[in-house]
Amino acid sequence: MLKTETPAQDHVLLDQYPTAELVNVLVDDQMNAVDAVRAAAPRIAAAVAAALPRVQAGGRLIYVGAGTSGRLGVLDSVELYPTFSWPHGRAVALLAGGTDAMFVAVEGAEDDLVQGADDLRAVNVMSGDVVLLVAASGATPYVLGALRAARAVGALTIGFANNVDAPVANEADIGVTLDTGTEVISGSTRLKAGTSQKIALNTFSTALMVRLNKVYGNLMVDLKATNAKLVLRAIRLTAFATGVDEAAARAVLEQCDFHVKTAIVALSKQTGVEQARALLEAADGNVRQALAD
């Protein structure tokens, strides 16, 4: 029996716990998710290093999963655009059962090996792409089908699993094992197994974006100001990075479509936005290098 499916022995009377104790047990068990990701950190770092040259050359991130794992992949993919201006077309998420499965479980979809391969080929997977395959069991047929199709074209495959010696991790170019063990509620991998996947995917994609010059210091300087909250964030980040007041920051941001990087360089170098853009382009989007030039 998979460890993630094995009934936990330390909470066999869970249904009789007082509510306060029940909540504490559920919260405390989540800490094991953090420990599992920390143990896998070297593998995540290796995945970032391997993915970097492919995405620098124009490759896409393609997430593949079923159920909770698939939904977490969708979540990570859609957040890259507003956070880092990562193009929608370069963050693709495949979920067993299709878009409807984001909201309603599609029975049997995860068991279809052929469909996983077909769905991946349908998005024209290429050798320059990075395919992230997520499965708590590590043996989900839909995910394995996609993995094998990705490897057939030479794409970089990164497999995330919550069981040791799982096929998804073993067959991928880089396997990341998140050994979260048994769940408080037996087999419910939406608990700490899912939490570990969220942390691991978040860590991978964020580290990758940092390496792609989407961050200056620890400031989110390549965001898309798509709503009022993000417009205010852009203004505050620009003011903080340059030392100007928010009115001055807004004035320059309005000239460059609220692109924080451009505004920071223009204000810091006391130049126009076109010159700031040119400096950033010459520095491959690296704000620190553009300021030094």
Side-chain angles (χ1 to χ4, degrees):
M1 185 179 292
L2 296 174
K3 192 184 289 186
T4 51
E5 300 292 329
T6 302
Q9 296 301 306
D10 47 354
H11 296 294
V12 295
L13 299 178
L14 186 75
D15 59 338
Q16 297 181 40
Y17 288 179
T19 300
E21 183 180 359
L22 172 62
V23 169
N24 285 333
V25 164
L26 291 169
V27 171
D28 289 347
D29 197 51
Q30 294 290 323
M31 299 305 295
N32 293 308
V34 177
D35 293 338
V37 180
R38 185 180 289 114
R43 301 299 294 162
I44 297 172
V48 172
L52 183 58
R54 301 211 187 201
V55 295
Q56 285 176 323
R60 298 172 295 170
L61 298 174
I62 303 176
Y63 298 75
V64 182
T68 297
S69 300
R71 295 181 190 102
L72 289 168
V74 173
L75 179 62
D76 203 69
S77 72
V78 300
E79 290 180 342
L80 295 179
Y81 176 75
T83 310
F84 300 112
S85 296
W86 190 249
H88 290 299
R90 294 184 65 194
V92 178
L94 301 178
L95 176 60
T99 304
D100 290 347
M102 191 70 190
F103 306 99
V104 179
V106 177
E107 297 300 327
E110 69 176 54
D111 300 324
D112 197 331
L113 186 86
V114 173
Q115 191 63 54
D118 287 347
D119 284 356
L120 192 66
R121 286 191 288 262
V123 298
N124 298 313
V125 62
M126 295 180 287
S127 60
D129 292 329
V130 177
V131 184
L132 306 165
L133 304 121
V134 192
S137 70
T140 305
Y142 178 88
V143 178
L144 287 173
L147 167 59
R148 291 162 188 168
R151 295 208 65 182
V153 299
L156 176 66
T157 54
I158 304 170
F160 296 83
N162 291 90
N163 285 286
V164 174
D165 204 29
V168 164
N170 288 345
E171 294 185 27
D173 295 303
I174 298 174
V176 180
T177 300
L178 307 169
D179 187 9
T180 44
T182 60
E183 297 285 359
V184 171
I185 297 177
S186 302
S188 182
T189 51
R190 63 179 288 272
L191 296 175
K192 67 173 176 285
T195 300
S196 73
Q197 293 170 2
K198 175 69 171 77
I199 298 170
L201 290 174
N202 195 313
T203 300
F204 169 83
S205 61
T206 302
L208 185 62
M209 294 298 138
V210 173
R211 292 280 78 89
L212 290 168
N213 300 320
K214 301 289 187 179
V215 174
Y216 171 47
N218 66 344
L219 303 181
M220 188 172 64
V221 295
D222 214 4
L223 61 85
K224 278 290 185 186
T226 54
N227 57 44
K229 177 189 71 176
L230 292 176
V231 166
L232 289 175
R233 184 175 296 165
I235 293 168
R236 290 166 184 159
L237 286 168
T238 302
F240 181 84
T242 61
V244 304
D245 61 31
E246 291 190 1
R250 178 185 280 274
V252 174
L253 283 164
E254 287 175 345
Q255 298 174 43
C256 58
D257 195 28
F258 281 83
H259 189 223
V260 176
K261 281 186 177 183
T262 303
I264 289 174
V265 174
L267 285 162
S268 299
K269 301 282 281 187
Q270 297 184 357
T271 187
V273 296
E274 291 306 318
Q275 178 62 20
R277 286 193 180 107
L279 287 168
L280 279 166
E281 184 174 353
D284 195 27
N286 187 308
V287 173
R288 196 176 300 279
Q289 184 177 327
L291 294 176
D293 291 343

